[in-house]
């Protein structure tokens, strides 16, 4: 009797152990579950995974769906966005798949292409594995937000080692070209595996085949917010005598509306540094060109000047590789002045390009920035040899949101001025437009005496500027307000 009791107890204990070992989700009395669902649950799968994987008919609906289907959660189809998520948006970026690794062999789930993934990355997420050395076709630049493109670096290379470098460091060659101003091949490498830009730059620094390595920084147009405004009077330029005839000026900006009457005959040539990005905005570039050399009712500072216009911005943004392409093109047009009404972080490649452009005798004019008195220095304005322009109003007061700093070189009108815009005109404010006023004024100096050098121009503007702030050069107004009449009489 005792033996039979022990046997019954042991049998009950074994049964309890077997029940405890079964998946918890299999313990259900839900009458709405189908046999297929129960089988899936017994395999340890969630209801949603079970339904999506095993229970779809040709129409995409689960047969015999009951209450369990109502409560199931399905992920939406992945959308691959051309524009990456903003930096600092409060969300961690999705992991970038490594196209060199086969998920099937490593037991990893299929990779998912993140927002902003390249075409090659998206293909790698669900298609064949592609080695970095195979990705040699140029990929178009992308208009994005943030301080720099999060999955690209710019590298200058001598010789034909581009593909070898890409293979050595697991990078994609997204574009490459010979840069006149950099004196070497500029390569835009993509980072397909999610490594931080700083890590890749550190890795490349140890390779003697690379000369310079920089992030692909992002730059912004400097617009704070129309016949010609108060600018002529404030800078002492006689509107009737103003002329920049035959002076060649490079402008790097948005696309331009060359059908605007104020730009009739003004644009000598155009270059699109981002041809694969659709054009949506033309206002900023149209205003800049008009303030420099506009004709008719909206007369610019230097009518008769020849504008060589490079489109390098869309949505107010551009990247370093696009800007460098525009700078190279402008230099090849033998321009005397380049207007750069944009602003961004320090980048060594941009510094080299500006230094070499200045060595070619080109006068460089840039917007000082609209980010406020406590903002860090902005570039290209803060590079040596670049005339950094801040904006003043009709009463010579400083624009409130203007950047301040020892790099500010000159002041010029840039607050609430009428300028060409799109097919008409608009009231504009910003250091962008003050820079355009200075560019046009310099064209007058070069028209009057074509042999004047870039060094002479810089010294003459500094020596003759009308002091507006504390005595001498200061961080708000620089040397002071542009006085073109006085500059024209400066000694050689």
């Amino acid at each position: 009797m005792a033996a039979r009791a022990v046997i019954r107890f042991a049998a009950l204990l074994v049964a309890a152990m077997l029940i405890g070992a079964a998946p918890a989700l299999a313990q259900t009395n839900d009458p709405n579950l189908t046999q297929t669902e129960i089988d899936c649950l017994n395999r340890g799968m969630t209801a949603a995974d079970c339904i999506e994987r095993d229970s779809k008919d040709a129409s995409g609906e689960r047969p015999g769906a009951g209450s369990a289907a109502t409560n199931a959660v399905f992920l939406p189809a992945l959308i691959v966005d051309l524009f990456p998520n903003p930096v600092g948006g409060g969300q961690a970026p999705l992991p970038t798949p490594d196209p060199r690794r086969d998920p099937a062999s490593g037991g990893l789930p299929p990779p998912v292409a993140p927002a902003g993934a390249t075409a090659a990355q998206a293909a790698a997420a669900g298609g064949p594995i592609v080695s970095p050395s195979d990705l040699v076709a140029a990929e178009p630049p992308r208009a994005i937000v943030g301080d720099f493109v999060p999955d690209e670096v710019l590298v200058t290379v001598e010789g034909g080692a581009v593909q070898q470098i890409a293979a050595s460091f697991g990078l994609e060659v997204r574009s490459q070209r010979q840069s006149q101003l950099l004196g070497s091949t500029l390569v835009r490498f993509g980072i397909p595996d999610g490594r931080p830009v700083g890590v890749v730059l550190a890795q490349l620094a140890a390779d003697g085949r690379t000369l310079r390595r920089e992030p692909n920084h992002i730059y912004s147009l400097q617009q704070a917010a129309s016949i010609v405004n108060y600018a002529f009077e404030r800078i002492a330029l006689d509107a009737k005598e103003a002329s920049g005839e035959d002076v060649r000026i490079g402008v790097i900006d948005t696309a331009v509306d060359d059908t605007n009457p104020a730009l009739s005959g003004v644009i000598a040539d155009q270059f699109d540094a981002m041809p694969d990005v659709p054009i949506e905005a033309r206002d900023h570039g149209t205003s800049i060109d008009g303030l420099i050399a506009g004709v008719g009712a909206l007369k610019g500072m230097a009518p008769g000047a020849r504008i060589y216009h490079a489109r390098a911005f869309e949505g107010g943004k551009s990247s370093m590789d696009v800007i460098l392409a525009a700078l190279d093109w402008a230099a090849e047009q033998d321009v005397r002045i380049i207007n750069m009404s944009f602003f961004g972080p320090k980048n060594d490649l941009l510094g080299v390009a500006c230094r070499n452009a200045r060595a070619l005798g080109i006068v460089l004019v840039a917007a000082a920035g609209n980010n406020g008195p406590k903002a860090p220095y902005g570039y290209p304005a803060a590079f040596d040899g670049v005339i950094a322009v801040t904006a003043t109003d009709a009463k010579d007061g400083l624009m409130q949101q203007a950047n301040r700093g020892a790099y500010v070189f000159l002041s010029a009108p840039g607050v609430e001025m009428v300028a060409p815009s799109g097919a008409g005109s608009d009231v504009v404010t910003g250091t962008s437009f003050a820079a355009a006023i200075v560019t046009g004024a310099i064209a007058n100096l070069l028209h009057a005496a074509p042999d004047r050098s870039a060094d002479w121009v810089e010294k003459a503007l500094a020596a003759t500027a009308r002091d507006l702030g504390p005595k001498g050069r200061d961080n708000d107004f620089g040397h002071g307000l542009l006085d073109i009449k006085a500059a024209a009489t400066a000694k050689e």
Side-chain angles (χ1 to χ4, degrees):
M1 191 72 175
R4 285 198 298 272
V6 170
I7 292 171
R8 285 198 298 271
F9 177 78
L12 290 172
L13 181 60
V14 169
M17 292 174 65
L18 290 174
I19 293 172
L25 289 177
Q27 316 294 320
T28 178
N29 294 318
D30 189 345
N32 294 312
L33 293 179
T34 65
Q35 185 59 48
T36 301
E37 290 170 322
I38 294 173
D39 292 342
C40 289
L41 294 173
N42 284 332
R43 296 201 301 268
M45 300 175 64
T46 66
D49 290 339
C50 173
I51 294 167
E52 187 165 333
R53 178 171 175 177
D54 293 332
S55 305
K56 285 188 176 180
D57 63 10
S59 65
E61 298 293 329
R62 180 174 63 89
S67 61
T70 302
N71 297 326
V73 178
F74 296 93
L75 294 176
L78 178 68
I79 299 175
V80 179
D81 195 351
L82 177 65
F83 304 96
N85 294 324
V87 175
Q91 295 182 353
L94 293 172
T96 304
D98 184 349
R100 295 166 296 165
R101 192 169 179 183
D102 186 352
S105 64
L108 297 175
V112 177
T118 66
Q121 288 172 317
I129 305 303
V130 182
S131 69
S133 60
D134 293 333
L135 302 173
V136 297
E139 179 178 316
R142 295 172 294 162
I144 69 169
V145 295
D147 293 332
F148 53 83
V149 182
D151 64 342
E152 290 182 356
V153 292
L154 298 180
V155 181
T156 52
V157 178
E158 283 187 352
V162 174
Q163 293 300 331
Q164 292 88 337
I165 293 172
S168 297
F169 293 93
L171 303 174
E172 299 173 342
V173 180
R174 292 185 176 169
S175 66
Q176 66 182 86
R177 64 180 182 83
Q178 185 65 31
S179 170
Q180 174 188 349
L181 294 177
L182 298 178
S184 56
T185 299
L186 176 65
V187 186
R188 180 165 59 103
F189 284 119
I191 309 170
D193 57 10
R195 280 172 291 166
V197 166
V199 170
V200 174
L201 291 175
Q203 293 170 340
L204 289 169
D207 192 308
R209 296 171 294 183
T210 66
L211 304 178
R212 296 181 184 276
R213 302 146 297 273
E214 290 286 339
N216 195 1
H217 281 122
I218 303 302
Y219 290 73
S220 304
L221 292 170
Q222 293 301 287
Q223 180 173 0
S226 312
I227 253 231
V228 161
N229 303 278
Y230 55 90
F232 280 104
E233 176 187 357
R234 301 318 306 157
I235 69 171
L237 177 61
D238 188 335
K240 296 179 180 179
E241 297 181 2
S243 176
E245 187 174 0
D246 295 330
V247 177
R248 301 163 74 96
I249 301 173
V251 173
I252 299 173
D253 216 279
T254 67
V256 61
D257 183 0
D258 54 10
T259 66
N260 189 300
L263 299 182
S264 178
V266 172
I267 310 297
D269 198 3
Q270 296 187 54
F271 169 70
D272 194 343
M274 46 198 317
D276 297 300
V277 179
I279 296 175
E280 297 182 2
R282 301 176 186 267
D283 291 347
H284 194 277
T286 303
S287 295
I288 295 298
D289 287 1
L291 288 171
I292 293 172
V295 297
L298 296 175
K299 187 176 182 180
M301 301 294 105
R306 306 292 289 160
I307 300 290
Y308 291 80
H309 190 100
R311 179 232 179 181
F313 284 83
E314 193 57 61
K317 300 290 183 181
S318 186
S319 57
M320 188 73 275
D321 62 309
V322 173
I323 292 172
L324 288 171
L327 276 170
D328 268 323
W329 176 80
E332 291 167 0
Q333 309 315 305
D334 194 28
V335 298
R336 295 295 310 276
I337 314 166
I338 295 179
N339 187 93
M340 300 180 289
S341 289
F342 53 86
F343 180 96
K346 185 177 183 180
N347 186 292
D348 189 42
L349 296 173
L350 181 59
V352 172
C354 288
R355 184 166 64 247
N356 290 340
R358 179 59 183 267
L360 293 174
I362 300 173
V363 181
L364 302 174
V365 181
N370 304 333
N371 296 328
K374 296 183 179 180
Y377 283 16
Y379 296 84
F383 285 125
D384 290 340
V386 177
I387 296 173
V389 183
T390 192
T392 52
D393 59 25
K395 296 183 179 180
D396 300 336
L398 188 66
M399 185 180 78
Q400 184 177 0
Q401 62 267 49
N403 282 43
R404 320 291 165 87
Y407 72 97
V408 176
F409 186 85
L410 201 63
S411 303
V415 177
E416 296 182 353
M417 296 191 302
V418 180
S421 177
S425 62
D426 202 355
V427 177
V428 298
T429 293
T431 57
S432 272
F433 309 109
I437 296 298
V438 171
T439 293
I442 293 172
N444 280 264
L445 296 177
L446 298 180
H447 166 68
D451 292 336
R452 285 168 169 164
S453 68
D455 288 343
W456 179 90
V457 169
E458 183 176 335
K459 292 176 182 177
L461 295 180
T464 60
R466 182 159 59 86
D467 205 349
L468 294 180
K471 187 176 182 179
R473 183 174 182 176
D474 61 76
N475 290 346
D476 292 350
F477 299 96
H479 289 286
L481 182 66
L482 171 65
D483 186 334
I484 202 64
K485 183 177 181 179
T489 63
K491 295 181 179 181
E492 297 290 338

